[in-house]
Amino acid sequence: MKRRTYLGAVAGGLAATSAGCLDDFGDSDIDDAEHPVGAWADGSIEFGLPPFQDAEELRTQYGGTFEWLADGFDGVDSVEGTPTTDYNSVVESVVYGHTELANLSPIIFVLAQEDGINPLGINWSHGSDSYHTYIATRAETDIDSIHDLEGKTIAMVDPMSASGGMFPRYTLSEAGLHAGDLETEPEDFDIEWSFGHDAALTALENGHVDAAAYGDFQHPESDEIVKIAESDPIPFDVVVAKPETPEDVRDELAARLVATPEEALEDHRVDEYGEFDPDLYDGVRDVAEEMGVDIETLDAAETEEGDEDEDEDES
């Protein structure tokens, strides 16, 4: 993996604040005696967060998790969240030990595995460790299968979206259609980027496109929209520890993370943390390679998006 100079995101990061009063979270089935985690963390655990949301929102979401982790280990005074400026920064923060832990999206996780990070647990949402992309059309069209999409226009969410861009294009490619990648356009169909799962579905419902690709959480309860393809499972984010983290520390952290109570996650997009399953991420690497994704590609896309937002603010 190509590396760039660490951007100092940790020094400029913001400490997470509490999501509420969690004093009774310290009661746990986990043995609190003689934890090695406090010595490993030297009293404080830094938790790197990727730039997929506003820093204030991240502080609110993760506050309960951080306090739950801090309460679970002798010698750990605090767990502090460190939002980073880009994907390269969040990977380097944990790879080089600037943060002890980090939350990595599935694409970022598979790209960073070669750097020796240690997966601890998987984010769950809506009672599952993964979700899917749906490719759908209107019941009135003559499109019966994914193969009928040749020459059609498909609404998708964003080139950098896993469920709304990369996974549906990979699914189409696996079906034999030329779907392009992050640097090239597809040859067998046209894409209309809607920049929202709901917007992609709306474009389909209003007849502006022949089909739409979006996360399964957006699928309507209507017979007028019919699913013609479904991607392989898309696993959720992974919580990881820095390289060379001792096995006993990894075991303690993973156990505490998986035991996080519902009360600590009330403000979080995560329902629970599940045990890490490496088999879930085999397909993610295939998608990343097919789409030509690397850390620098993701950072470049983030920079372009930021420049566009600034242009809009100035206009």
Side-chain angles (χ1 to χ4, degrees):
M1 182 190 303
K2 296 179 180 177
R3 289 291 179 207
R4 294 207 301 268
T5 303
Y6 180 67
L7 300 180
V10 173
L14 299 172
T17 57
S18 172
C21 182
L22 308 175
D23 292 341
D24 56 346
F25 280 6
D27 298 330
S28 170
D29 294 333
I30 301 174
D31 183 9
D32 289 337
E34 298 180 351
H35 279 308
V37 178
W40 167 79
D42 194 24
S44 178
I45 295 175
E46 296 284 342
F47 193 117
L49 299 169
F52 55 73
Q53 275 181 285
D54 177 76
E56 187 66 30
E57 293 176 351
L58 289 173
R59 287 201 299 274
T60 299
Q61 287 190 13
Y62 280 89
T65 297
F66 293 158
E67 189 164 351
W68 167 254
L69 290 175
D71 284 347
F73 304 109
D74 292 342
V76 175
D77 299 323
S78 66
V79 177
E80 297 182 345
T82 304
T84 52
T85 56
D86 55 38
Y87 293 101
N88 187 61
S89 292
V90 73
V91 172
E92 291 191 347
S93 75
V94 68
V95 167
Y96 296 137
H98 298 291
T99 61
E100 285 76 26
L101 305 178
N103 188 85
L104 303 181
S105 62
I107 294 288
I108 298 301
F109 169 69
V110 299
L111 294 175
Q113 279 183 301
E114 66 189 58
D115 294 312
I117 55 173
N118 297 286
L120 302 176
I122 302 173
N123 291 214
W124 280 52
S125 185
H126 302 290
S128 177
D129 57 11
S130 59
Y131 65 116
H132 300 80
T133 286
Y134 285 167
I135 301 177
T137 187
R138 296 184 304 282
E140 65 189 33
T141 70
D142 58 357
I143 300 172
D144 297 319
S145 73
I146 195 171
H147 302 285
D148 297 327
L149 292 174
E150 185 170 0
K152 306 296 186 181
T153 298
I154 306 172
M156 295 189 186
V157 178
D158 187 289
M160 302 306 302
S161 168
S163 61
M166 287 185 269
F167 268 81
R169 293 176 78 173
Y170 181 80
T171 300
L172 289 158
S173 176
E174 289 292 283
L177 298 176
H178 184 281
D181 57 27
L182 292 181
E183 301 295 333
T184 63
E185 297 294 328
E187 295 179 1
D188 290 336
F189 57 88
D190 294 321
I191 298 176
E192 180 178 298
W193 298 110
S194 61
F195 302 102
H197 292 266
D198 56 344
L201 180 59
T202 298
L204 174 62
E205 292 173 327
N206 292 338
H208 298 313
V209 294
D210 303 298
Y214 48 83
D216 58 13
F217 49 83
Q218 195 67 43
H219 194 64
E221 296 180 3
S222 170
D223 294 336
E224 297 179 1
I225 302 298
V226 294
K227 179 180 67 176
I228 57 174
E230 180 178 309
S231 73
D232 291 333
I234 306 171
F236 289 112
D237 300 358
V238 187
V239 178
V240 304
K242 64 183 180 180
E244 301 179 2
T245 299
E247 183 176 359
D248 56 348
V249 173
R250 300 199 306 265
D251 290 344
E252 293 273 7
L253 288 168
R256 182 71 176 179
L257 187 70
V258 171
T260 304
E262 292 182 4
E263 305 95 285
L265 299 171
E266 289 180 349
D267 295 315
H268 209 307
R269 63 191 180 95
V270 171
D271 297 334
E272 61 182 291
Y273 298 101
E275 295 181 3
F276 176 73
D277 180 357
D279 293 339
L280 280 174
Y281 296 86
D282 290 343
V284 177
R285 181 170 292 279
D286 294 337
V287 173
E289 291 176 351
E290 180 78 13
M291 291 293 105
V293 182
D294 59 27
I295 297 288
E296 293 188 355
T297 301
L298 294 172
D299 286 344
E302 284 291 309
T303 300
E304 291 175 3
E305 183 177 334
D307 291 343
E308 291 174 0
D309 290 343
E310 289 181 7
D311 292 340
E312 290 178 2
D313 291 341
E314 293 173 358
S315 61

